[in-house]
Amino acid sequence: SQQGEEDPQALSIQEGENATMNCSYKTSINNLQWYRQNSGRGLVHLILIRSNEREKHSGRLRVTLDTSKKSSSLLITASRAADTASYFCATDAYSGAGSYQLTFGKGTKLSVIP
Amino acid sequence: ETGVTQSPTHLIKTRGQQVTLRCSSQSGHNTVSWYQQALGQGPQFIFQYYREEENGRGNFPPRFSGLQFPNYSSELNVNALELDDSALYLCASSLFPTVSGGEKLFFGSGTQLSVL
């Protein structure tokens, strides 16, 4: 089952604009990660935010987390054509004995037009 | 490049057949997870292996099984293939998870399986 729901499902912007993607989840989490996927290939880790953090930055990426609303947002500033990809949020659940799984949302498909 | 390699990249099977997918983990990683990604969906957790034993499983039937070898490479086996098994299968390696979690997963490029 999908834990996260990204919003919007698809986003099209001009190069240089900012892109904001949102993620909502259902149960309590330890951490939330964002991943990027190009053209149905492997996912690449972008950024991690822990449940006791509210905001993190990495280069042109800014992630916020609101655990009271069970939501997160990913902001990509000054977008480039190379940012065109699908973006997924993933929440984790540690179930003991080292069992650890990520639960992904359905993703936001971002298109950056040159 | 994540250092995680999967083979084959594409595979076509017919319903009822069996398939084996392979994954070579990134150097230094001792944990491997497998995910299934249907078209237009996010990846779904199948199972995780550590020290050659399964130590976590998602909502997948027993006909999905796996192996992890001493060199941390891994296999995913699917028996009695069904049409709904058509998907991209992703392998991800990582370090053994801690209680606080947050381990970064390093994904391979996946195997695209089509069941006819």
Side-chain angles (χ1 to χ4, degrees):
Chain A
S1 63
Q2 308 280 169
Q3 155 83 308
E5 274 302 321
E6 285 89 346
D7 169 55
Q9 291 185 346
L11 180 61
S12 184
I13 59 174
Q14 295 288 329
E15 200 166 31
E17 293 181 338
N18 295 342
T20 300
M21 289 159 267
N22 303 298
C23 166
S24 59
Y25 55 92
K26 298 172 186 173
T27 61
S28 295
I29 61 171
N30 292 338
N31 310 281
L32 187 144
Q33 302 184 37
W34 284 89
Y35 284 80
R36 164 197 168 126
Q37 184 178 38
N38 286 1
S39 302
R41 304 305 286 175
L43 283 79
V44 175
H45 179 268
L46 294 176
I47 195 166
L48 159 78
I49 188 165
R50 299 195 181 274
S51 59
N52 60 354
E53 296 175 315
R54 292 297 167 257
E55 186 172 315
K56 280 190 82 169
H57 296 255
S58 177
R60 293 185 296 114
L61 305 179
R62 172 179 169 256
V63 171
T64 62
L65 178 65
D66 187 336
T67 53
S68 66
K69 295 181 179 178
K70 292 188 170 58
S71 67
S72 173
S73 68
L74 171 67
L75 169 68
I76 304 175
T77 60
S79 64
R80 305 166 182 168
D83 294 329
T84 295
S86 291
Y87 292 82
F88 296 89
C89 68
T91 56
D92 70 13
Y94 183 81
S95 54
S99 178
Y100 166 78
Q101 67 181 71
L102 287 185
T103 304
F104 287 83
K106 294 184 179 182
T108 292
K109 191 169 185 178
L110 174 65
S111 299
V112 181
I113 303 165
Chain B
E1 284 293 323
T2 63
V4 179
T5 58
Q6 292 186 241
S7 63
T9 55
H10 294 82
L11 202 51
I12 299 174
K13 291 286 188 178
T14 56
R15 194 171 49 181
Q17 285 188 313
Q18 178 267 341
V19 68
T20 297
L21 310 182
R22 294 179 174 82
C23 172
S24 177
S25 296
Q26 178 159 312
S27 177
H29 285 176
N30 54 18
T31 302
V32 65
S33 303
W34 285 89
Y35 287 79
Q36 179 196 66
Q37 185 178 22
L39 190 63
Q41 301 293 313
Q44 298 254 353
F45 176 72
I46 303 175
F47 43 55
Q48 176 183 302
Y49 275 79
Y50 172 69
R51 287 186 175 175
E52 302 170 49
E53 288 193 5
E54 181 183 302
N55 73 335
R57 189 176 186 95
N59 189 26
F60 280 82
R63 60 189 184 84
F64 285 78
S65 64
L67 286 172
Q68 185 187 31
F69 300 100
N71 64 355
Y72 304 129
S73 64
S74 176
E75 287 182 356
L76 165 65
N77 299 289
V78 187
N79 294 323
L81 282 167
E82 301 177 359
L83 298 180
D84 285 349
D85 295 334
S86 294
L88 180 68
Y89 288 86
L90 295 161
C91 164
S93 73
S94 66
L95 295 172
F96 186 67
T98 63
V99 174
S100 60
E103 279 70 27
K104 185 189 305 185
L105 297 187
F106 293 78
F107 283 85
S109 295
T111 294
Q112 184 65 55
L113 173 65
S114 298
V115 182
L116 306 178

